[in-house]
Amino acid sequence: MSNNEQTQRRTALVTGASYGIGAAIAEVLARDGYDVAVNELNPEALVNTLSKIKAHGARALAVPLDVRSQPSIEACMQHVLANFGKLDLLVNNAGVLLRKPALDITREEWQNVIDINLTGTFFMSQQMGRHLIATKRKGSIISISSTHAIVGVAAVSAYGISKAGISQMTRMLAIEWASHGIRVNAIAPGTTETPSRKASFGNDPVRRQHLMERIPFKRFCTEVDVAGMASYLASPAADYVTGQTLLVDGGLTAY
Ligand code: NAP
């Protein structure tokens, strides 16, 4: 690839892309012509994602990042910009689920969910906003919310509240940065059988059936379903879309 071709290519950073939804989004963006940086919290798990990105002829960059740490967030952005020269798209996918009754959640557990899902997403977005505004370039942010941001579900309150915060953050930043040509959107997937979710309910047939009964399409969401929406939001086809949380839920919230 010539230097000119490299600077013409679009560039993306996807957080939490070791496996699951983030890995699928990283791969689809590489397919769509993006060079992709992914965060390296767990280097061993990332090997697969990096090879899938490269298989599409895209540049793949592994960057250390813990979204709970502001110095780590700032160092990550500097690392990506030093290597790619610019960033066109940020995908805030890193997140943790806490399944616990509200009565039992400790202050530390609450804080960890908020730090990763909400505060991490905000300060990553702030870095991206600063970069795009300083360089006078249009760009886009996609954050991963959840149907739990919209419908009430027992025993996942901290998680659902953090995801509802992401959806409102999406509206706020979209309005604040619209005049700079920055689009800010979110995707709210329904239950997706990623490795981590399979581990939490995969062997529990009663729980599976309970979840399935509420989904009109009678199947769980897949990583590919979510990545398809990310591909759309990252594309010129979505140039007039901002401030939205787009649901990928098999009709769950249409009731
Ligand atoms: P996952 O498999 O658990 O992956 C989460 C990713 O986030 C992992 O790569 C993890 O890194 C990373 N991460 C966790 N803490 C981090 C931190 N402090 N700094 C940087 N990265 C961190 O999740 P998933 O099921 O694919 O879900 C991805 C996103 O979609 C999450 O935001 C989740 O809330 C959301 N979502 C999932 C579902 C679902 O049913 N699966 C439904 C709706 C929304 P490590 O690999 O190193 O742990």
Side-chain angles (χ1 to χ4, degrees):
M1 204 182 296
S2 71
N3 279 350
N4 192 37
E5 278 173 328
Q6 280 198 9
T7 50
Q8 294 303 318
R9 284 176 64 84
R10 292 174 297 168
T11 54
L13 166 61
V14 184
T15 68
S18 316
Y19 36 76
I21 290 170
I25 292 175
E27 187 182 0
V28 93
L29 292 174
R31 181 204 69 190
D32 292 350
Y34 279 86
D35 289 334
V36 186
V38 285
N39 84 280
E40 188 182 39
L41 195 61
N42 176 351
E44 270 176 37
L46 204 54
V47 172
N48 207 15
T49 307
L50 292 171
S51 62
K52 283 182 176 166
I53 294 168
K54 288 178 193 157
H56 290 280
R59 280 186 294 170
L61 179 68
V63 196
L65 170 67
D66 182 335
V67 298
R68 290 169 295 191
S69 154
Q70 187 63 19
S72 178
I73 287 175
E74 291 173 16
C76 168
M77 284 301 281
Q78 282 166 15
H79 190 129
V80 172
L81 293 176
N83 280 272
F84 283 172
K86 66 180 173 100
L87 195 57
D88 300 301
L89 171 67
L90 167 67
V91 181
N92 290 307
N93 169 77
V96 286
L97 173 70
L98 176 67
R99 195 182 302 286
K100 203 168 189 186
L103 294 178
D104 299 335
I105 293 173
T106 65
R107 187 113 194 167
E108 289 71 28
E109 288 168 334
W110 167 272
Q111 198 58 54
N112 188 53
V113 171
I114 298 299
D115 278 351
I116 295 173
N117 295 4
L118 189 58
T119 312
T121 296
F122 180 82
F123 284 101
M124 287 299 298
S125 302
Q126 183 191 63
Q127 288 292 310
M128 182 64 171
R130 284 180 181 170
H131 164 61
L132 292 172
I133 291 166
T135 54
K136 295 189 167 43
R137 294 176 43 256
K138 292 181 177 179
S140 171
I141 297 171
I142 301 169
S143 303
I144 307 300
S145 179
S146 166
T147 49
H148 288 10
I150 292 150
V151 292
V153 182
V156 276
S157 57
Y159 177 79
I161 291 163
S162 73
K163 294 296 185 178
I166 287 179
S167 292
Q168 183 62 2
M169 185 193 312
T170 296
R171 288 184 279 268
M172 291 295 189
L173 299 184
I175 297 301
E176 192 160 328
W177 295 340
S179 61
H180 299 282
I182 302 171
R183 295 188 302 108
V184 187
N185 291 291
I187 301 172
T191 299
T192 311
E193 283 199 283
T194 58
S196 61
R197 294 300 163 95
K198 266 186 193 150
S200 78
F201 69 77
N203 297 324
D204 182 346
V206 176
R207 180 157 173 71
R208 281 182 75 86
Q209 193 187 338
H210 171 74
L211 289 167
M212 196 65 80
E213 274 166 9
R214 300 170 56 218
I215 305 171
F217 270 180
K218 299 298 170 214
R219 71 165 176 86
F220 290 123
C221 184
T222 67
E223 292 100 326
V224 173
D225 292 321
V226 185
M229 181 61 86
S231 169
Y232 162 68
L233 283 173
S235 77
D239 261 359
Y240 201 54
V241 181
T242 196
Q244 303 304 311
T245 294
L246 298 176
L247 286 143
V248 181
D249 69 353
L252 176 82
T253 53
Y255 278 121

